[in-house]
C-alpha cells in the first residue's frame, strides 16, 4: 500500500496570508489527524476527521481549520498567518495493519511551512 | 532537515550495543501506547505498539515494556545500528483517538 502523502512538501508564506495543506491517507483508512511540530512545543494535536466529520480537536485558535472529503482526503487551512505558525505540519491516517495490535496512526512526510 | 527538537535529551550508544529509551506517560487511563522514530526531514515512523493489557511486546530487534504501576514505557533496541540514529517519541491515547506525544529522545549511534 502507498503511504500517507502530503502536498506541498515545502511552503513559504508571509504574515497575514492564508494557506491550505493537503493530505491523502493510506487507502482504506478513514481517520485523518493533523499535528503541528515545532522544536519548542514538540508534536501537538490539531484535529482529527473521520468520515468527513471532525471528531476531536486540540487547543488551537480558530484560524486553524480542516475538512475531509468523501474519499477520506483531508485539507488543513490556516488563515491570517503569524510568524509562530512556522512549523512542520504532519498528517496521519489511522487504520489496522498486520504488524500492529490495533488501529494505529501512520504519518506522512509533513509540509514544512515557513512564515516570513 | 531542521532538527525535531533543539534541546532533546540525548542517548549516545556504541554501535552493536543495546539501547534503552524511556518514557514517562501522563494519563493513568491511557490504554494504548506507540513508539515512533523520526529521522531528520521525515515524518514519524511507526516502530511498535502495546496495549495496556500487556506488559511486554517484541518486534524485530525492538521490545516495548510497559509498567502501568509507575506509568513508564521503555523501548529496547537490540544491536543498535547507525540507521537507528533518530529522535524517538512515545505516544499514548485513552481511547479518544487523540494521541499525546512525549517530548522525544535523540539517539546517537557511535561508530
Amino acid at each position: 500500500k502507498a503511504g500517507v502523502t502530503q502536498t506541498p512538501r515545502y511552503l513559504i508564506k508571509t504574515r497575514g496570508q492564508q494557506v491550505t495543506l493537503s493530505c491523502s491517507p493510506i487507502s482504506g483508512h478513514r481517520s485523518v489527524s493533523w499535528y503541528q511540530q515545532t522544536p519548542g512545543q514538540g508534536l501537538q494535536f490539531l484535529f482529527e476527521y473521520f468520515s468527513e466529520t471532525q471528531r476531536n480537536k486540540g487547543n488551537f485558535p480558530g484560524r486553524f481549520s480542516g475538512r475531509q472529503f468523501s474519499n477520506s482526503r483531508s485539507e488543513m487551512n490556516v488563515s491570517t498567518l503569524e510568524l509562530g505558525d512556522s512549523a512542520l505540519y504532519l498528517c496521519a491516517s489511522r487504520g489496522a495493519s498486520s504488524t500492529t495490535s490495533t488501529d494505529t496512526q501512520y504519518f506522512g512526510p509533513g509540509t514544512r511551512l515557513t512564515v516570513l | 532537515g531542521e532538527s525535531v527538537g533543539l534541546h532533546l535529551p540525548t542517548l549516545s550508544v556504541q554501535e552493536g550495543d543495546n539501547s534503552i529509551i524511556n518514557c514517562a506517560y501522563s494519563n493513568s487511563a491511557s490504554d494504548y501506547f506507540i513508539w515512533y522514530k523520526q529521522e531528520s526531514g521525515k515524518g514519524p515512523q511507526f516502530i511498535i505498539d502495546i496495549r495496556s493489557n500487556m506488559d511486554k511486546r517484541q518486534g524485530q530487534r525492538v521490545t516495548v515494556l510497559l509498567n502501568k504501576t509507575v506509568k513508564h514505557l521503555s523501548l529496547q533496541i537490540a544491536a543498535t545500528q547507525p540507521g537507528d540514529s533518530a529522535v524517538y517519541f512515545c505516544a499514548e491515547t485513552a481511547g479518544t483517538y487523540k494521541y499525546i506525544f512525549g517530548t522525544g529522545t535523540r539517539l546517537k549511534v557511535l561508530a
Side-chain angles (χ1 to χ4, degrees):
Chain A
K1 280 185 180 179
V4 178
T5 58
Q6 292 186 246
T7 57
R9 291 295 311 279
Y10 302 92
L11 207 48
I12 299 175
K13 291 284 188 179
T14 56
R15 278 184 302 171
Q17 287 187 309
Q18 68 92 28
V19 67
T20 299
L21 312 181
S22 182
C23 171
S24 292
I26 292 171
S27 177
H29 288 190
R30 295 163 63 190
S31 165
V32 173
S33 295
W34 288 90
Y35 292 84
Q36 182 195 64
Q37 187 175 38
T38 60
Q41 299 295 320
L43 268 160
Q44 292 190 291
F45 173 79
L46 280 155
F47 28 66
E48 185 228 0
Y49 285 87
F50 183 85
S51 293
E52 302 179 66
T53 301
Q54 188 180 88
R55 191 162 62 173
N56 284 288
K57 190 175 188 306
N59 298 322
F60 278 81
R63 299 186 297 109
F64 292 81
S65 63
R67 59 177 176 167
Q68 187 180 34
F69 302 96
S70 58
N71 61 358
S72 294
R73 191 177 68 84
S74 178
E75 287 182 347
M76 192 193 99
N77 186 276
V78 188
S79 62
T80 320
L81 284 165
E82 300 176 359
L83 295 178
D85 296 333
S86 294
L88 181 67
Y89 289 89
L90 292 159
C91 167
S93 75
R94 193 173 63 82
S97 85
S98 58
T99 58
T100 63
S101 60
T102 188
D103 286 6
T104 198
Q105 287 192 345
Y106 298 90
F107 284 86
T111 294
R112 171 74 61 192
L113 173 65
T114 302
V115 182
L116 303 177
Chain B
E2 181 181 309
S3 61
V4 170
L6 297 179
H7 303 292
L8 292 175
T10 299
L11 174 67
S12 296
V13 176
Q14 206 69 35
E15 181 179 355
D17 286 353
N18 297 333
S19 303
I20 299 176
I21 301 171
N22 296 304
C23 175
Y25 64 91
S26 57
N27 186 357
S28 56
S30 291
D31 59 2
Y32 180 57
F33 306 87
I34 314 100
W35 279 100
Y36 287 94
K37 170 187 179 184
Q38 188 172 23
E39 296 173 280
S40 184
K42 298 183 179 180
Q45 174 190 354
F46 172 90
I47 302 173
I48 192 168
D49 62 346
I50 189 168
R51 293 206 67 87
S52 58
N53 60 353
M54 302 173 70
D55 52 24
K56 180 179 180 179
R57 190 158 189 253
Q58 288 184 292
Q60 188 175 14
R61 278 202 311 120
V62 294
T63 301
V64 55
L65 298 177
L66 175 63
N67 185 330
K68 294 181 288 294
T69 303
V70 295
K71 293 192 290 185
H72 183 266
L73 196 65
S74 70
L75 176 71
Q76 300 178 0
I77 304 174
T80 311
Q81 302 169 0
D84 295 327
S85 292
V87 176
Y88 289 81
F89 293 96
C90 65
E92 60 181 297
T93 183
T96 63
Y97 311 121
K98 177 181 171 180
Y99 286 41
I100 307 298
F101 284 81
T103 52
T105 297
R106 189 182 305 281
L107 176 65
K108 284 188 177 178
V109 181
L110 308 172

